[in-house]
Amino acid sequence: MSSNAAASSSGGAGSADSAAPRRNSKRPKYSRFTQQELPACKPILTPKWVVSAFILVSVIFIPIGVASLLASRDVVEIVDRYETECIPEPLRGDKVGFIQSAANKTCERKITVPKRMKSPIYVYYQLDNFYQNHRRYVKSRSDAQLKSLKEENETKSCDPEGTSGGKPIVPCGLIAWSLFNDTYSFSRNNQQLAVNKKDISWKSDRDGKFGKKVFPKNFQKGGLIGGGTLNESIPLNEQEDLIVWMRTAALPTFRKLYGRIEVDLQPNDIIHITLKNRYNTYSFGGKKKLVLSTTSWLGGKNDFLGIAYLTVGGLCLFLALSFTIIYLVKPRKLGDPSYLSWNRNPAGH
Amino acid sequence: MALGVFDQDVSPRFCIKFPQLYQEGVQNVLFSWKRILSWMFNGVCNAIVIFFFCTSVLETQAFRKGGQIVELQVLGTTMYSCVVWVVNCQMALSVSYFTLIQHIIVWGSILLWYIFLFAYGSMPPRISTTAYKVFLEVCMLAPSYWLVILLVVFSALLPFFLYSAISMQFFPMYHQMIQWKRLKSNSDDPENRPIEPTSTTASEIRR
């Protein structure tokens, strides 16, 4: 306090002691900041602002909604569910038994292309009821091990799939252990359609998270086999199926990129698929689907974004019109104190 | 905190002219349970909107032209970005006194979030683990990321905006009535149309 007085009497910046010489004044130094008189704008929700805001939102949202819906409608998507169909009829009573046996797992499927599909056509496998977002599952990996050969023994976070027979498993953890291993090959008019399996993973994963010199070792050698095996002569940063699989999905129904078909498909083309139905989703009632899809500037087929934008835009337009009508029909009374809640309710609230 | 300190619903001049404003504090109209619960309800509604809109838009299909699909880190980043935007825009909507400081805080918070995403994501994977390059490589160039944020912000704030507009127009509280007066009349002219103080004090004395 005394320092303030000293400052104001010596500095003389504010209007504090202009007229009478008041020494030891306790009045604080004036500044626009401390007196909260900074330049400000004080917006109020007047009818003009409210209606303009609603109209602006609807003018922006409705075209975006239309564009998104058109983009989604442009995408051609073929979904083929095969996990039950690909088990021979007589063996469908014991699906788990079939999948774990050494029986022939090859399955022939046929799909028809409904509309022209322009390349690149993305091939995905979709799994339902598979909780890749389970906490223990997500944690069960060792990023250090994946990146560098020196950290091969960092398998603590991978239990129970950390070591096998006393030696570390590379790559360790439940995520790698449950690698998806169905394979698909496509042909049209007896001509093979090539599936490009390069660059299906994110570049940052290939360059930053999976090492060039790390090779699979001791993988799926234990008693319980959870999924596919890996070629031990290919380094991890080129094992793109593994890299794609290790990026855990957010929801129990998810797709993962399998590859790309780089030719156009014409309407009414019949595509023959030879698939190997190896992956066991039967133990937990999961579904397997094969998806072929084109993309637009927005991505794949999902009408929700377009419909949501149109709904919000339409709602705002409706609100703009209703507010305009209400403001014209029922003008507000200005500053009548009988509207105050404590005056309207004399018995208290 | 900064918004609470620097916000000002009615200027000091008007506070002196209309002592009935003090009744707002005495009668506890600003911190009544009804108001607290309705703010909480607003928060819950915002959370529901954010979650369901994000998951419904970023479903199983590709979210970018390159055919890539959404995983845990993308969904998480998108949802958290939505939260940051909704919270800051909600504050911008509820503040009635915009100084430079308010602008810096609100828009600065949003910018800071993106700077953090960018910086943390650029750190080596040892430190950033799942966030490695998530904004730079994955989200920044995905139109659906930005469209989801725009949709979620406006949808989440629409009910609050509607409520504010209706209450300001048809059920104004006392400090809001004074804001209207300031807008309509010349605020520097003290002779201008005072709200009848005599009848008000009489009714208060009666109580």
Side-chain angles (χ1 to χ4, degrees), chain A residues 111-169:
Chain A
I111 50 174
T112 315
V113 178
K115 276 183 353 181
R116 179 156 187 266
M117 290 175 84
K118 279 180 49 159
S119 81
I121 299 168
Y122 296 90
V123 180
Y124 304 94
Y125 52 90
Q126 179 173 326
L127 290 170
D128 284 26
N129 203 29
F130 191 114
Y131 286 82
Q132 263 205 331
N133 52 1
H134 189 288
R135 192 162 193 270
R136 281 206 64 187
Y137 183 90
V138 169
K139 280 171 36 153
S140 179
R141 62 190 287 162
S142 166
D143 287 327
Q145 193 196 59
L146 294 171
K147 174 79 180 143
S148 113
L149 194 55
K150 288 196 297 272
E151 323 233 13
E152 199 177 68
N153 292 313
E154 287 282 332
T155 59
K156 209 157 36 117
S157 50
C158 288
D159 282 335
E161 286 296 317
T163 52
S164 159
K167 286 192 292 222
I169 302 175

Side-chain angles (χ1 to χ4, degrees), chain B residues 4-145:
Chain B
V5 166
F6 289 108
D7 194 13
Q8 220 185 77
D9 50 5
V10 174
S11 75
R13 255 188 317 269
F14 278 88
C15 281
I16 294 178
K17 242 179 26 169
F18 300 108
Q20 289 97 336
L21 271 178
Y22 281 98
Q23 285 291 332
E24 278 194 341
V26 171
Q27 305 289 333
N28 197 26
V29 292
L30 293 174
F31 286 97
S32 61
W33 271 113
K34 195 169 100 158
R35 276 180 82 85
I36 292 175
L37 289 173
S38 34
W39 273 104
M40 286 169 70
F41 178 70
N42 181 43
V44 168
C45 287
N46 283 354
I48 291 176
V49 163
I50 293 175
F51 180 76
F52 284 105
F53 276 33
C54 282
T55 47
S56 305
V57 172
L58 300 175
E59 244 185 351
T60 52
Q61 86 291 353
F63 73 105
R64 278 176 57 146
K65 194 167 164 49
Q68 296 95 334
I69 28 80
V70 173
E71 335 97 359
L72 213 51
Q73 40 264 58
V74 175
L75 189 64
T77 307
T78 309
M79 274 206 221
Y80 205 84
S81 307
C82 287
V83 168
V84 167
W85 276 96
V86 166
V87 164
N88 282 296
C89 293
Q90 172 89 68
M91 285 203 284
L93 269 189
S94 18
V95 153
S96 44
Y97 190 75
F98 267 100
T99 60
L100 187 63
I101 295 177
Q102 255 84 328
H103 280 296
I104 292 175
I105 287 169
V106 169
W107 313 122
S109 299
I110 297 178
L111 191 64
L112 199 65
W113 163 243
Y114 283 110
I115 293 176
F116 168 77
L117 265 186
F118 180 74
Y120 188 62
S122 304
M123 292 191 193
R126 249 172 220 282
I127 303 172
S128 57
T129 60
T130 48
Y132 184 61
K133 297 240 164 96
V134 73
F135 180 64
L136 199 59
E137 188 189 21
V138 178
C139 290
M140 191 166 72
L141 299 171
S144 44
Y145 170 79

Side-chain angles (χ1 to χ4, degrees), chain A residues 64-223:
Chain A
I64 295 182
V66 169
S68 310
L69 206 54
L70 285 176
S72 171
R73 291 285 156 94
D74 267 344
V75 169
V76 186
E77 192 184 74
I78 308 172
V79 180
D80 179 41
R81 183 176 162 191
Y82 66 85
E83 93 281 349
T84 309
E85 312 272 313
C86 271
I87 298 188
E89 272 238 38
L91 300 166
R92 277 187 206 164
D94 181 18
K95 295 191 186 134
V96 181
F98 169 77
I99 203 79
Q100 287 176 340
S101 68
N104 185 8
K105 307 275 175 46
T106 313
C107 176
E108 301 283 335
R109 305 280 300 157
K110 211 163 58 169
I111 50 174
T112 315
V113 178
K115 276 183 353 181
R116 179 156 187 266
M117 290 175 84
K118 279 180 49 159
S119 81
I121 299 168
Y122 296 90
V123 180
Y124 304 94
Y125 52 90
Q126 179 173 326
L127 290 170
D128 284 26
N129 203 29
F130 191 114
Y131 286 82
Q132 263 205 331
N133 52 1
H134 189 288
R135 192 162 193 270
R136 281 206 64 187
Y137 183 90
V138 169
K139 280 171 36 153
S140 179
R141 62 190 287 162
S142 166
D143 287 327
Q145 193 196 59
L146 294 171
K147 174 79 180 143
S148 113
L149 194 55
K150 288 196 297 272
E151 323 233 13
E152 199 177 68
N153 292 313
E154 287 282 332
T155 59
K156 209 157 36 117
S157 50
C158 288
D159 282 335
E161 286 296 317
T163 52
S164 159
K167 286 192 292 222
I169 302 175
V170 177
C172 72
L174 285 174
I175 310 181
W177 175 80
S178 58
L179 177 63
F180 187 77
N181 60 345
D182 282 4
T183 49
Y184 313 100
S185 69
F186 301 86
S187 66
R188 172 179 62 167
N189 297 333
N190 291 325
Q191 260 190 322
Q192 193 75 3
L193 285 172
V195 176
N196 184 356
K197 285 178 74 71
K198 285 245 159 290
D199 288 344
I200 53 176
S201 52
W202 289 105
K203 190 162 187 305
S204 59
D205 276 352
R206 286 199 302 272
D207 294 346
K209 285 206 184 141
F210 289 79
K212 278 200 293 256
K213 304 210 180 90
V214 186
F215 291 84
K217 211 156 70 165
N218 215 8
F219 188 64
Q220 300 285 19
K221 298 276 185 353

